[in-house]
Amino acid sequence: MHETEAVSVVLPVRDLADSLAGIVGGWRTFLDGGKREYELLLVDDGSRDGTADKLAEIAKKHPKIRTLTHESPR
């Protein structure tokens, strides 16, 4: 892989609504510090605490973030 090729990071999350801002912020800081284009894919694995709503809010603000939601844990 070349140092300039894009990278995709997939993060599974479940019931982390209160922690998402810090988690995503840390990953964005790390990825923004690199020389590669990236996407951050956050996969909500059946959360019941509002994680999916928080993910949607975050994704609206950051175009490099995508989300996927499972209705039940997989």
Side-chain angles (χ1 to χ4, degrees), residues 11-59:
L11 297 177
V13 297
R14 183 185 300 153
D15 296 329
L16 292 175
D18 294 336
S19 304
L20 280 176
I23 293 167
V24 172
W27 274 100
R28 286 187 59 237
T29 298
F30 173 75
L31 293 167
D32 285 342
K35 296 179 181 179
R36 298 178 184 198
E37 285 297 314
Y38 69 87
E39 70 174 347
L40 184 56
L41 175 59
L42 300 162
V43 182
D44 175 24
D45 192 33
S47 295
R48 302 195 192 294
D49 71 342
T51 294
D53 293 333
K54 292 283 187 182
L55 288 176
E57 288 176 27
I58 291 169

Side-chain angles (χ1 to χ4, degrees), residues 55-74:
L55 288 176
E57 288 176 27
I58 291 169
K60 283 182 189 178
K61 297 176 187 174
H62 305 288
K64 294 182 179 183
I65 295 176
R66 296 183 338 151
T67 64
L68 175 66
T69 300
H70 297 157
E71 294 298 319
S72 60
R74 294 185 185 182

